[in-house]
């Protein structure tokens, strides 16, 4: 038995789920088709939180409110992303000590969620540049199915917003991955390559800087080098972030040397 669990009714028959208001089949009364699924309390809390704040706007609300505007001459850079950004300097690695860089990663997020919070967590902080790293959670289907075009359009929209606000944009490659531990059936390697090829082409087309982590992190077969990942699959460890840091710094320096859009 799971303490603190919640029971959810599931299992409507196909007829009632496909035709709203249609009478239940006399051969299969609705009551007999009902069943329950037991969820751990932690999962229930996560689902309730996501329903209340799908894009997790509350995560950095107080931090943003207390963050002072950039000092004169300060070249603030916001890192926007998912757990790979969120973990940087928090779970593993060092997050650029002494640099005016701001971490606004949220674990598990997809590009549509980042797009919703882009104004609050990027634009309102008045950065000189934003570095966007995303994609693996979209490919994994964390917030539902997405086509590659859907993902690309979310990147386009974030870039459009940043350009209108005169913020330089750095697009980071999605890190290599041959598996996603939380979605065992997903084999992401080919989609990661496809997305990275598009990101590189789009960055060139839009005169953005492309921050290419992929070659230094890849194991030669589309996955992340296991010695660079905490989970041997997706999330960098100290060594992984040590590889990524100079690549990010070089991309940031290149971007800041260019005029604002």
């Amino acid at each position: 038995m799971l303490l603190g669990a919640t029971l959810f009714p599931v299992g409507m028959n196909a007829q009632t789920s496909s035709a709203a208001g249609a009478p239940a089949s006399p051969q299969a009364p609705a009551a007999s088709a009902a069943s329950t699924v037991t969820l751990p309390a932690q999962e229930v809390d996560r689902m309730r939180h996501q329903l209340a704040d799908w894009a997790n706007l509350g995560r950095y609300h107080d931090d943003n409110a207390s963050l002072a505007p950039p000092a004169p001459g300060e070249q603030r850079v916001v890192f926007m992303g998912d757990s790979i950004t969120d973990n940087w300097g928090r779970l593993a690695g060092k997050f650029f000590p002494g640099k005016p860089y701001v971490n606004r990663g949220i674990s598990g997020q997809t590009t549509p969620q980042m797009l919703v919070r882009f104004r609050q967590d990027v634009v309102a902080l008045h950065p000189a540049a934003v570095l966007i790293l995303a994609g693996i959670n979209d490919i994994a289907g964390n917030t539902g199915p997405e086509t590659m075009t859907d993902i690309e359009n979310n990147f386009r929209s974030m870039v459009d917003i940043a350009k209108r606000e005169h913020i330089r944009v750095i697009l980071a490659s999605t890190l290599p991955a041959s598996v996603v531990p939380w979605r065992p059936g997903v084999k992401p390697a080919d989609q990661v390559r496809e997305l990275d090829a598009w990101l590189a082409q789009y960055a060139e087309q839009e005169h953005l800087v492309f921050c290419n982590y992929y070659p230094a992190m890849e194991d030669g077969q589309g996955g992340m080098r296991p010695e660079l990942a905490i989970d041997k699959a997706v999330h960098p460890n100290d060594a992984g972030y040590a590889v990524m840091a100079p690549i990010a710094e070089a991309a940031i320096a290149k971007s800041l040397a260019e005029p604002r859009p």
Side-chain angles (χ1 to χ4, degrees), residues 49-150:
H49 176 76
Q50 191 170 59
L51 285 170
D53 184 7
W54 180 75
N56 210 343
L57 294 170
R59 167 70 185 275
Y60 291 112
H61 181 271
D62 293 345
D63 290 339
N64 292 342
S66 63
L67 184 67
E74 178 181 310
Q75 299 276 52
R76 176 175 289 170
V77 179
V78 174
F79 283 61
M80 167 62 87
D82 50 34
S83 59
I84 295 165
T85 299
D86 195 357
N87 292 347
W88 203 336
R90 294 168 177 160
L91 183 63
K94 295 179 180 179
F95 190 72
F96 308 99
K99 297 293 181 70
Y101 299 168
V102 181
N103 188 325
R104 288 298 180 262
I106 297 182
S107 180
Q109 285 215 324
T110 56
T111 55
Q113 291 173 305
M114 293 179 206
L115 177 57
V116 170
R117 65 184 182 92
F118 196 84
R119 284 196 172 276
Q120 174 180 297
D121 289 346
V122 177
V123 174
L125 306 186
H126 307 291
V130 59
L131 191 156
I132 305 170
L133 171 55
I136 190 63
N137 292 324
D138 299 72
I139 292 169
N142 279 22
T143 51
E146 292 180 74
T147 66
M148 193 60 65
T149 300
D150 293 332

Side-chain angles (χ1 to χ4, degrees), residues 107-201:
S107 180
Q109 285 215 324
T110 56
T111 55
Q113 291 173 305
M114 293 179 206
L115 177 57
V116 170
R117 65 184 182 92
F118 196 84
R119 284 196 172 276
Q120 174 180 297
D121 289 346
V122 177
V123 174
L125 306 186
H126 307 291
V130 59
L131 191 156
I132 305 170
L133 171 55
I136 190 63
N137 292 324
D138 299 72
I139 292 169
N142 279 22
T143 51
E146 292 180 74
T147 66
M148 193 60 65
T149 300
D150 293 332
I151 302 170
E152 293 167 3
N153 284 340
N154 291 327
F155 276 106
R156 286 188 179 99
S157 294
M158 286 188 276
V159 170
D160 287 347
I161 294 169
K163 282 188 167 185
R164 283 199 300 271
E165 299 293 337
H166 310 294
I167 299 168
R168 303 170 182 88
V169 179
I170 304 158
L171 292 180
S173 62
T174 304
L175 299 188
S178 55
V179 296
V180 282
W182 63 98
R183 293 283 191 277
V186 175
K187 304 301 180 187
D190 289 342
Q191 288 176 286
V192 169
R193 292 189 191 99
E194 180 183 352
L195 178 57
D196 282 352
W198 179 84
L199 287 166
Q201 176 272 326

